[in-house]
Every structure is written in structure tokens, then in C-alpha cells.
Amino acid sequence: MNSHWLLYLFFAAGLVGIGLYALLTMRNLIKLFIGIEVIGKGVSLALLATGFAKGNILLAQSLVITFIVVEVCLVATALALIVNINRHTKSLDVRKLTQLKG
């Protein structure tokens, strides 16, 4: 392992930390979703950095590209759910999700 790997891993951990902070402190659905996306980017960076450090960059790139494809599908589904929640509750506050019963 070299110093570049540690630098990349530091930034990846920073991204995951920022995303976790957003998940724990925000109540807006869009902000929560952005927090999840930031965590995903941190994981992608960690995968790429580890693949680069291990000399297996092609495997890391293929894993990250697969992750991005799956992530795009999840983003589309999550945004559709958020739009429908906003239509029903007229708010993006997670505390108002209890109104969606039944």
C-alpha cells in the first residue's frame, strides 16, 4: 500500500462520514437521499482506490461501473417514490410519512 491509497481512503471515509451525518441529522427526504448518494460515492472511491493499490484496477472499475448502473436504477425508483410522497402529503418531512397508512 502506498500513500496515495491512504489519501484516497481518507477522502472516501470523509464522504461516508458526510453522508452518515446527513442521514442522522436531516428530516427532508431529498436531503436524506443526497446523503445516501454521497455514501455511495464514498464506497465507489474506496473500491477504485483499493483496486488501484492492489494493481487490479480493471476489476475495480468493472465493480464500480456495475455499482453505478444499479445505483441509477435505484435513484429513478427513489425519486419516483419521493415525488408520490410529496403529492400525497404536500411535504417532504419524514415525520409526515405516518399519514400514508392504509
Side-chain angles (χ1 to χ4, degrees), residues 1-2 6 12 16 19-20 27 34 36-38 49-50 54-55 57 81 84 89 92 95-96 101-102:
M1 302 296 162
N2 56 23
L6 289 175
V16 171
L20 286 175
R27 296 188 188 266
I34 290 171
I36 291 170
E37 287 298 313
V38 170
T50 304
K54 294 284 186 179
I57 192 69
L81 286 172
N84 280 328
T89 62
L92 292 175
R95 291 174 289 188
K96 295 195 177 188
K101 291 179 183 174

Side-chain angles (χ1 to χ4, degrees), residues 22-33:
L23 283 179
L24 294 175
T25 59
M26 304 294 172
R27 296 188 188 266
N28 187 318
L29 283 173
I30 297 294
K31 291 178 182 176
L32 291 174
F33 186 66

Side-chain angles (χ1 to χ4, degrees), residues 58-75:
L58 295 178
L59 177 64
Q61 287 177 342
S62 64
L63 281 173
V64 169
I65 289 173
T66 305
F67 178 73
I68 289 171
V69 169
V70 171
E71 186 179 29
V72 166
C73 296
L74 291 174
V75 165

